[in-house]
Coordinates of all heavy atoms in Angstrom, one line a residue:
M1 N 32.5 171.5 -23.7 CA 32.9 171.4 -25.0 C 32.1 170.4 -25.8 O 32.0 169.3 -25.4 CB 34.4 171.1 -25.1 CG 35.0 171.3 -26.4 SD 36.8 170.9 -26.5 CE 37.5 172.5 -26.0
K2 N 31.6 170.8 -26.9 CA 30.8 169.9 -27.7 C 31.6 168.9 -28.5 O 32.8 169.2 -28.8 CB 29.9 170.7 -28.7 CG 29.0 171.7 -28.0 CD 27.8 170.9 -27.4 CE 26.8 172.0 -26.8 NZ 25.7 171.4 -26.3
L3 N 31.0 167.9 -29.0 CA 31.7 166.8 -29.7 C 32.3 167.4 -31.0 O 33.5 167.1 -31.4 CB 30.8 165.6 -30.0 CG 31.4 164.5 -30.8 CD1 32.6 163.9 -30.0 CD2 30.4 163.5 -31.2
L4 N 31.6 168.2 -31.7 CA 32.0 168.8 -33.0 C 33.3 169.7 -32.7 O 34.2 169.7 -33.5 CB 30.9 169.6 -33.7 CG 31.3 170.2 -35.0 CD1 31.7 169.1 -36.0 CD2 30.1 170.9 -35.6
D5 N 33.3 170.4 -31.6 CA 34.4 171.3 -31.3 C 35.7 170.4 -31.0 O 36.8 170.8 -31.4 CB 34.1 172.1 -30.1 CG 33.1 173.2 -30.4 OD1 32.9 173.6 -31.5 OD2 32.4 173.6 -29.4
I6 N 35.5 169.3 -30.3 CA 36.6 168.4 -30.1 C 37.1 167.8 -31.4 O 38.3 167.8 -31.6 CB 36.1 167.3 -29.1 CG1 35.8 167.8 -27.7 CG2 37.2 166.2 -29.0 CD1 35.1 166.9 -26.8
I7 N 36.2 167.4 -32.3 CA 36.6 166.9 -33.6 C 37.4 167.9 -34.4 O 38.4 167.6 -35.0 CB 35.4 166.4 -34.3 CG1 34.9 165.1 -33.6 CG2 35.7 166.1 -35.8 CD1 33.5 164.6 -34.2
L8 N 36.9 169.2 -34.3 CA 37.6 170.3 -35.1 C 39.0 170.5 -34.5 O 40.0 170.6 -35.3 CB 36.8 171.6 -35.0 CG 35.7 171.8 -36.0 CD1 34.9 173.0 -35.6 CD2 36.3 171.9 -37.4
F9 N 39.1 170.5 -33.2 CA 40.4 170.7 -32.6 C 41.4 169.5 -32.9 O 42.6 169.8 -33.2 CB 40.3 170.8 -31.0 CG 41.6 171.2 -30.4 CD1 42.1 172.5 -30.5 CD2 42.3 170.3 -29.6 CE1 43.2 172.8 -29.9 CE2 43.5 170.6 -29.0 CZ 44.0 171.9 -29.1
V10 N 40.9 168.3 -32.9 CA 41.7 167.2 -33.3 C 42.1 167.3 -34.8 O 43.3 167.0 -35.1 CB 41.0 165.8 -33.0 CG1 41.7 164.7 -33.6 CG2 40.9 165.6 -31.5
L11 N 41.2 167.7 -35.6 CA 41.6 167.9 -37.0 C 42.6 169.0 -37.2 O 43.5 168.8 -38.1 CB 40.3 168.2 -37.8 CG 39.4 167.1 -38.2 CD1 38.1 167.6 -38.8 CD2 40.1 166.1 -39.1
V12 N 42.5 170.0 -36.5 CA 43.5 171.1 -36.5 C 44.9 170.5 -36.2 O 45.9 170.7 -36.9 CB 43.2 172.3 -35.6 CG1 44.4 173.2 -35.4 CG2 42.0 173.0 -36.1
F13 N 45.0 169.8 -35.1 CA 46.2 169.2 -34.6 C 46.7 168.2 -35.7 O 47.9 168.2 -36.0 CB 46.0 168.5 -33.3 CG 47.2 167.9 -32.7 CD1 48.2 168.7 -32.2 CD2 47.4 166.5 -32.7 CE1 49.4 168.2 -31.6 CE2 48.6 166.0 -32.2 CZ 49.6 166.8 -31.6
C14 N 45.9 167.3 -36.2 CA 46.3 166.3 -37.2 C 46.8 166.9 -38.5 O 47.8 166.5 -39.0 CB 45.2 165.3 -37.4 SG 44.8 164.2 -36.0
T15 N 46.0 167.9 -39.0 CA 46.5 168.5 -40.2 C 47.8 169.3 -40.1 O 48.6 169.3 -41.0 CB 45.4 169.4 -40.8 OG1 45.0 170.4 -39.8 CG2 44.2 168.7 -41.3
F16 N 48.0 169.8 -38.9 CA 49.3 170.5 -38.7 C 50.4 169.5 -38.7 O 51.5 169.7 -39.3 CB 49.2 171.3 -37.4 CG 50.5 172.1 -37.1 CD1 50.8 173.2 -37.8 CD2 51.4 171.6 -36.2 CE1 52.0 173.9 -37.6 CE2 52.6 172.3 -36.0 CZ 52.9 173.5 -36.7
I17 N 50.2 168.4 -38.0 CA 51.3 167.4 -37.9 C 51.5 166.8 -39.3 O 52.7 166.6 -39.7 CB 50.9 166.3 -36.9 CG1 50.8 166.8 -35.5 CG2 51.8 165.1 -37.0 CD1 52.1 167.4 -35.0
I18 N 50.5 166.5 -40.1 CA 50.6 166.0 -41.4 C 51.4 167.1 -42.3 O 52.3 166.7 -43.1 CB 49.3 165.7 -42.0 CG1 48.7 164.5 -41.3 CG2 49.4 165.4 -43.5 CD1 47.3 164.2 -41.7
G19 N 51.1 168.3 -42.1 CA 51.8 169.4 -42.8 C 53.2 169.5 -42.5 O 54.1 169.6 -43.4
V20 N 53.6 169.3 -41.2 CA 55.0 169.3 -40.8 C 55.7 168.1 -41.5 O 56.8 168.2 -42.0 CB 55.1 169.3 -39.3 CG1 56.6 169.0 -38.9 CG2 54.7 170.6 -38.7
D21 N 55.1 167.0 -41.4 CA 55.7 165.8 -42.1 C 55.9 166.0 -43.6 O 57.0 165.7 -44.1 CB 54.8 164.5 -41.8 CG 55.3 163.3 -42.5 OD1 56.4 162.9 -42.1 OD2 54.6 162.8 -43.4
Q22 N 54.9 166.5 -44.2 CA 55.0 166.7 -45.7 C 56.0 167.8 -46.0 O 56.6 167.7 -47.0 CB 53.6 167.0 -46.3 CG 52.7 165.8 -46.3 CD 53.2 164.7 -47.1 OE1 53.5 164.8 -48.3 NE2 53.4 163.5 -46.5
A23 N 56.1 168.8 -45.1 CA 57.1 169.8 -45.4 C 58.5 169.2 -45.3 O 59.4 169.7 -46.1 CB 56.9 170.9 -44.4
I24 N 58.7 168.3 -44.4 CA 60.0 167.7 -44.3 C 60.3 166.8 -45.5 O 61.4 166.8 -46.1 CB 60.1 166.9 -43.0 CG1 60.1 167.8 -41.8 CG2 61.4 166.0 -43.0 CD1 60.0 167.1 -40.4
V25 N 59.3 166.0 -45.9 CA 59.4 165.1 -47.0 C 59.5 165.7 -48.4 O 60.4 165.5 -49.2 CB 58.3 164.0 -47.0 CG1 58.3 163.1 -48.2 CG2 58.3 163.2 -45.7
V26 N 58.5 166.6 -48.7 CA 58.5 167.1 -50.1 C 58.7 168.6 -50.1 O 58.8 169.2 -51.2 CB 57.1 166.8 -50.7 CG1 56.9 165.3 -50.9 CG2 55.9 167.4 -50.0
G27 N 58.8 169.3 -49.1 CA 59.1 170.7 -49.1 C 57.9 171.5 -48.6 O 56.7 171.1 -48.7
L28 N 58.2 172.8 -48.2 CA 57.2 173.6 -47.7 C 56.2 174.1 -48.8 O 55.0 174.2 -48.5 CB 57.8 174.8 -47.0 CG 56.9 175.8 -46.3 CD1 56.1 175.1 -45.2 CD2 57.6 177.0 -45.7
A29 N 56.7 174.3 -50.0 CA 55.8 174.8 -51.0 C 54.8 173.8 -51.4 O 53.6 174.2 -51.7 CB 56.6 175.2 -52.2
E30 N 55.1 172.5 -51.4 CA 54.2 171.5 -51.8 C 53.2 171.2 -50.7 O 52.1 170.6 -50.9 CB 54.9 170.2 -52.1 CG 55.8 170.3 -53.3 CD 55.0 170.5 -54.6 OE1 53.9 169.9 -54.7 OE2 55.5 171.3 -55.4
S31 N 53.5 171.5 -49.4 CA 52.6 171.2 -48.3 C 51.9 172.5 -47.8 O 51.3 172.4 -46.7 CB 53.4 170.5 -47.2 OG 54.4 171.4 -46.7
Y32 N 52.0 173.5 -48.5 CA 51.4 174.8 -48.0 C 49.9 174.7 -47.9 O 49.4 175.2 -46.9 CB 51.8 175.9 -49.1 CG 51.3 177.3 -48.7 CD1 51.9 178.0 -47.8 CD2 50.1 177.8 -49.4 CE1 51.4 179.3 -47.5 CE2 49.7 179.0 -49.1 CZ 50.3 179.8 -48.1 OH 49.8 181.0 -47.8
W33 N 49.3 174.0 -48.8 CA 47.8 173.9 -48.7 C 47.4 173.2 -47.4 O 46.3 173.4 -46.9 CB 47.3 173.2 -49.9 CG 47.6 171.8 -50.1 CD1 48.7 171.2 -50.6 CD2 46.8 170.6 -49.6 NE1 48.7 169.9 -50.5 CE2 47.6 169.5 -49.9 CE3 45.6 170.5 -49.0 CZ2 47.1 168.2 -49.6 CZ3 45.2 169.3 -48.6 CH2 45.9 168.1 -48.9
I34 N 48.2 172.2 -46.9 CA 47.8 171.5 -45.7 C 47.9 172.5 -44.5 O 47.0 172.4 -43.7 CB 48.7 170.3 -45.5 CG1 48.6 169.3 -46.7 CG2 48.4 169.6 -44.2 CD1 49.6 168.2 -46.7
F35 N 48.9 173.3 -44.5 CA 49.0 174.3 -43.4 C 47.8 175.3 -43.5 O 47.3 175.7 -42.5 CB 50.3 175.1 -43.5 CG 51.5 174.2 -43.0 CD1 52.4 173.9 -43.9 CD2 51.6 173.8 -41.7 CE1 53.5 173.1 -43.5 CE2 52.6 173.1 -41.3 CZ 53.6 172.7 -42.2
M36 N 47.4 175.7 -44.7 CA 46.3 176.6 -44.8 C 45.0 176.0 -44.4 O 44.1 176.6 -43.8 CB 46.2 177.1 -46.3 CG 47.3 178.1 -46.7 SD 47.3 179.5 -45.6 CE 48.7 179.2 -44.6
L37 N 44.8 174.7 -44.7 CA 43.7 174.0 -44.2 C 43.7 173.9 -42.7 O 42.6 174.1 -42.0 CB 43.6 172.5 -44.7 CG 42.5 171.6 -44.3 CD1 41.2 172.2 -44.7 CD2 42.7 170.2 -44.8
S38 N 44.8 173.7 -42.1 CA 44.9 173.7 -40.6 C 44.6 175.0 -40.0 O 43.8 175.1 -39.0 CB 46.4 173.3 -40.2 OG 46.5 173.3 -38.8
V39 N 45.0 176.1 -40.6 CA 44.7 177.5 -40.1 C 43.2 177.8 -40.3 O 42.6 178.3 -39.4 CB 45.6 178.5 -40.9 CG1 45.1 179.9 -40.6 CG2 47.0 178.4 -40.5
A40 N 42.6 177.3 -41.4 CA 41.2 177.6 -41.6 C 40.4 176.8 -40.6 O 39.4 177.4 -40.0 CB 40.8 177.1 -43.0
L41 N 40.8 175.6 -40.3 CA 40.1 174.8 -39.2 C 40.3 175.5 -37.9 O 39.3 175.5 -37.0 CB 40.5 173.4 -39.2 CG 40.1 172.5 -40.4 CD1 40.9 171.2 -40.4 CD2 38.6 172.3 -40.4
L42 N 41.4 176.0 -37.6 CA 41.7 176.7 -36.4 C 40.8 177.9 -36.2 O 40.2 178.2 -35.2 CB 43.2 177.1 -36.3 CG 43.6 177.8 -35.0 CD1 43.4 176.8 -33.8 CD2 45.0 178.2 -35.0
F43 N 40.6 178.7 -37.3 CA 39.7 179.9 -37.3 C 38.3 179.4 -37.0 O 37.6 180.1 -36.3 CB 39.8 180.7 -38.6 CG 41.1 181.5 -38.7 CD1 41.6 181.8 -39.9 CD2 41.8 182.0 -37.6 CE1 42.8 182.6 -40.1 CE2 42.9 182.7 -37.7 CZ 43.4 183.0 -38.9
L44 N 37.9 178.3 -37.7 CA 36.5 177.8 -37.5 C 36.3 177.4 -36.0 O 35.3 177.7 -35.4 CB 36.3 176.7 -38.4 CG 34.9 176.0 -38.3 CD1 33.8 177.0 -38.7 CD2 34.8 174.8 -39.2
Y45 N 37.3 176.8 -35.5 CA 37.2 176.3 -34.1 C 37.1 177.6 -33.2 O 36.3 177.6 -32.2 CB 38.4 175.5 -33.7 CG 38.5 175.2 -32.2 CD1 37.7 174.3 -31.6 CD2 39.4 175.9 -31.4 CE1 37.8 174.0 -30.3 CE2 39.5 175.6 -30.0 CZ 38.7 174.7 -29.5 OH 38.8 174.4 -28.1
G46 N 37.9 178.6 -33.4 CA 37.9 179.8 -32.6 C 36.6 180.5 -32.7 O 36.0 181.1 -31.8
Y47 N 36.0 180.6 -33.9 CA 34.7 181.2 -34.2 C 33.6 180.5 -33.4 O 32.8 181.1 -32.7 CB 34.4 181.2 -35.7 CG 33.0 181.7 -36.0 CD1 32.8 183.1 -35.9 CD2 32.0 180.9 -36.3 CE1 31.5 183.6 -36.2 CE2 30.8 181.3 -36.6 CZ 30.5 182.7 -36.6 OH 29.3 183.2 -36.9
R48 N 33.6 179.2 -33.5 CA 32.6 178.4 -32.8 C 32.7 178.5 -31.3 O 31.8 178.7 -30.5 CB 32.7 176.9 -33.1 CG 32.2 176.6 -34.5 CD 32.2 175.1 -34.8 NE 31.6 174.3 -33.8 CZ 30.3 174.0 -33.7 NH1 29.5 174.5 -34.7 NH2 29.8 173.3 -32.8
K49 N 34.0 178.6 -30.8 CA 34.2 178.8 -29.3 C 33.7 180.2 -28.9 O 33.1 180.3 -27.8 CB 35.7 178.6 -29.0 CG 36.0 178.7 -27.6 CD 37.5 178.5 -27.4 CE 37.9 178.6 -25.9 NZ 39.3 178.5 -25.7
G50 N 34.0 181.2 -29.7 CA 33.5 182.5 -29.4 C 32.0 182.6 -29.4 O 31.4 183.3 -28.5
Q51 N 31.3 182.0 -30.3 CA 29.9 181.9 -30.4 C 29.3 181.2 -29.2 O 28.3 181.7 -28.6 CB 29.4 181.3 -31.7 CG 29.7 182.0 -32.9 CD 28.9 183.3 -33.0 OE1 27.7 183.3 -32.6 NE2 29.5 184.4 -33.4
R52 N 29.9 180.1 -28.8 CA 29.4 179.4 -27.6 C 29.6 180.2 -26.3 O 28.7 180.2 -25.5 CB 30.2 178.0 -27.5 CG 29.6 177.1 -26.4 CD 30.4 175.8 -26.3 NE 31.7 176.1 -25.8 CZ 32.8 175.8 -26.5 NH1 32.8 175.4 -27.7 NH2 34.0 176.1 -26.0
Q53 N 30.7 180.9 -26.2 CA 30.9 181.7 -25.0 C 29.9 182.9 -25.0 O 29.4 183.2 -23.9 CB 32.3 182.2 -25.0 CG 33.3 181.1 -24.6 CD 34.8 181.7 -24.7 OE1 35.0 182.7 -25.2 NE2 35.7 180.9 -24.1
A54 N 29.6 183.4 -26.1 CA 28.6 184.5 -26.2 C 27.2 184.0 -25.8 O 26.5 184.7 -25.0 CB 28.6 185.2 -27.5
R55 N 26.9 182.9 -26.2 CA 25.6 182.3 -25.9 C 25.5 182.0 -24.4 O 24.5 182.3 -23.7 CB 25.3 181.0 -26.6 CG 24.8 181.2 -28.1 CD 24.3 180.0 -28.7 NE 25.2 178.8 -28.5 CZ 26.1 178.4 -29.4 NH1 26.2 179.1 -30.6 NH2 26.8 177.4 -29.2
E56 N 26.6 181.5 -23.8 CA 26.6 181.2 -22.4 C 26.5 182.4 -21.6 O 25.9 182.5 -20.5 CB 27.9 180.4 -22.0 CG 27.9 178.9 -22.5 CD 29.2 178.2 -22.3 OE1 30.2 178.9 -21.9 OE2 29.3 177.1 -22.7
K57 N 27.2 183.5 -22.0 CA 27.2 184.8 -21.3 C 25.8 185.4 -21.3 O 25.3 185.9 -20.3 CB 28.2 185.7 -21.9 CG 28.3 187.0 -21.2 CD 29.4 187.9 -21.9 CE 29.5 189.2 -21.2 NZ 30.5 190.1 -21.9
E58 N 25.2 185.3 -22.5 CA 23.8 185.8 -22.6 C 22.8 185.0 -21.8 O 21.9 185.6 -21.1 CB 23.3 185.7 -24.1 CG 22.0 186.3 -24.4 CD 21.9 187.8 -24.1 OE1 22.9 188.5 -24.3 OE2 20.9 188.3 -23.6
A59 N 23.0 183.7 -21.7 CA 22.1 182.9 -20.9 C 22.3 183.2 -19.4 O 21.3 183.2 -18.6 CB 22.4 181.4 -21.1
L60 N 23.5 183.4 -19.0 CA 23.8 183.8 -17.6 C 23.2 185.1 -17.3 O 22.6 185.3 -16.2 CB 25.3 183.8 -17.4 CG 25.8 184.1 -16.0 CD1 25.3 183.0 -15.0 CD2 27.3 184.2 -15.9
K61 N 23.3 186.1 -18.2 CA 22.8 187.4 -18.0 C 21.2 187.3 -17.9 O 20.7 188.0 -17.0 CB 23.2 188.3 -19.2 CG 22.8 189.7 -19.1 CD 23.3 190.5 -20.3 CE 22.9 191.9 -20.2 NZ 23.3 192.6 -21.4
S62 N 20.6 186.5 -18.7 CA 19.1 186.5 -18.7 C 18.7 185.7 -17.4 O 17.6 186.1 -16.9 CB 18.6 185.8 -19.9 OG 19.0 184.5 -20.0
S63 N 19.4 184.8 -17.0 CA 19.0 184.1 -15.8 C 19.1 185.0 -14.5 O 18.3 184.9 -13.6 CB 19.8 182.8 -15.6 OG 21.2 183.1 -15.2
K64 N 20.2 185.8 -14.5 CA 20.3 186.8 -13.4 C 19.2 187.8 -13.4 O 18.7 188.2 -12.4 CB 21.6 187.5 -13.5 CG 22.8 186.7 -13.1 CD 24.1 187.5 -13.2 CE 25.3 186.7 -12.8 NZ 26.6 187.5 -12.8
Q65 N 18.7 188.2 -14.6 CA 17.6 189.2 -14.7 C 16.3 188.5 -14.3 O 15.5 189.1 -13.6 CB 17.4 189.6 -16.2 CG 18.5 190.6 -16.6 CD 18.4 191.0 -18.1 OE1 17.6 190.4 -18.8 NE2 19.2 191.9 -18.5
R66 N 16.1 187.2 -14.6 CA 14.9 186.5 -14.1 C 14.9 186.4 -12.6 O 13.9 186.5 -12.0 CB 14.8 185.1 -14.7 CG 14.3 185.1 -16.1 CD 14.0 183.7 -16.6 NE 14.9 183.6 -17.8 CZ 15.6 182.5 -18.1 NH1 15.7 181.5 -17.3 NH2 16.3 182.5 -19.2
K67 N 16.1 186.2 -12.0 CA 16.2 186.1 -10.5 C 15.8 187.4 -9.9 O 15.2 187.5 -8.8 CB 17.5 185.6 -10.1 CG 17.8 184.1 -10.4 CD 19.2 183.7 -9.9 CE 19.4 182.3 -10.2 NZ 20.8 181.9 -9.8
K68 N 16.3 188.5 -10.5 CA 16.0 189.8 -9.9 C 14.5 190.1 -10.0 O 13.9 190.8 -9.1 CB 16.8 190.9 -10.7 CG 18.3 190.9 -10.3 CD 19.0 192.1 -11.0 CE 20.4 192.1 -10.7 NZ 21.1 193.2 -11.4
K69 N 13.9 189.7 -11.1 CA 12.4 190.0 -11.2 C 11.6 189.2 -10.2 O 10.6 189.6 -9.8 CB 12.0 189.6 -12.7 CG 12.4 190.6 -13.7 CD 11.9 190.2 -15.1 CE 12.4 191.2 -16.1 NZ 12.0 190.9 -17.5
K70 N 12.0 188.0 -9.8 CA 11.3 187.2 -8.9 C 11.4 187.8 -7.5 O 10.5 187.6 -6.7 CB 11.9 185.8 -8.9 CG 11.5 185.0 -10.1 CD 12.0 183.6 -10.0 CE 11.6 182.7 -11.2 NZ 12.1 181.4 -11.1
K71 N 12.4 188.5 -7.2 CA 12.6 189.0 -5.8 C 11.8 190.2 -5.6 O 11.0 190.8 -6.0 CB 14.1 189.4 -5.5 CG 14.9 188.1 -5.4 CD 16.3 188.5 -5.1 CE 17.2 187.3 -4.9 NZ 18.5 187.6 -4.5

């Protein structure tokens, strides 16, 4: 896991906790934007994770093909 992915995940967690706190204090309607920011960061994290897994899968596939060619 890359540092940026860890930071994104921590930001998702923190914004969600802040959203829950603000929902209790001022109400859900006033803290809605914080929850939407948390969801947007979660989608960004999931997208980056999917891209990283696709690159790793492609690298594994190409390394297997190189090993077959050497034999």
Side-chain angles (χ1 to χ4, degrees):
M1 189 178 273
K2 300 284 184 180
L3 180 62
L4 186 58
D5 292 336
I6 294 170
I7 291 171
L8 275 173
F9 187 74
V10 169
L11 282 173
V12 168
F13 183 73
C14 289
T15 54
F16 182 76
I17 295 300
I18 291 169
V20 169
D21 177 61
Q22 289 300 303
I24 292 170
V25 173
V26 296
L28 186 60
E30 296 294 323
S31 61
Y32 180 76
W33 68 273
I34 300 172
F35 286 113
M36 290 300 103
L37 178 62
S38 179
V39 169
L41 290 171
L42 183 63
F43 285 152
L44 179 61
Y45 172 76
Y47 175 76
R48 287 183 51 87
K49 184 178 177 183
Q51 291 293 319
R52 186 180 67 246
Q53 287 177 346
R55 282 192 309 266
E56 289 173 357
K57 185 178 178 183
E58 184 65 32
L60 182 63
K61 186 178 175 182
S62 65
S63 69
K64 284 183 181 179
Q65 288 176 350
R66 277 188 241 136
K67 285 181 182 179
K68 285 182 180 180
K69 288 181 181 180
K70 287 183 180 179
K71 290 183 179 181

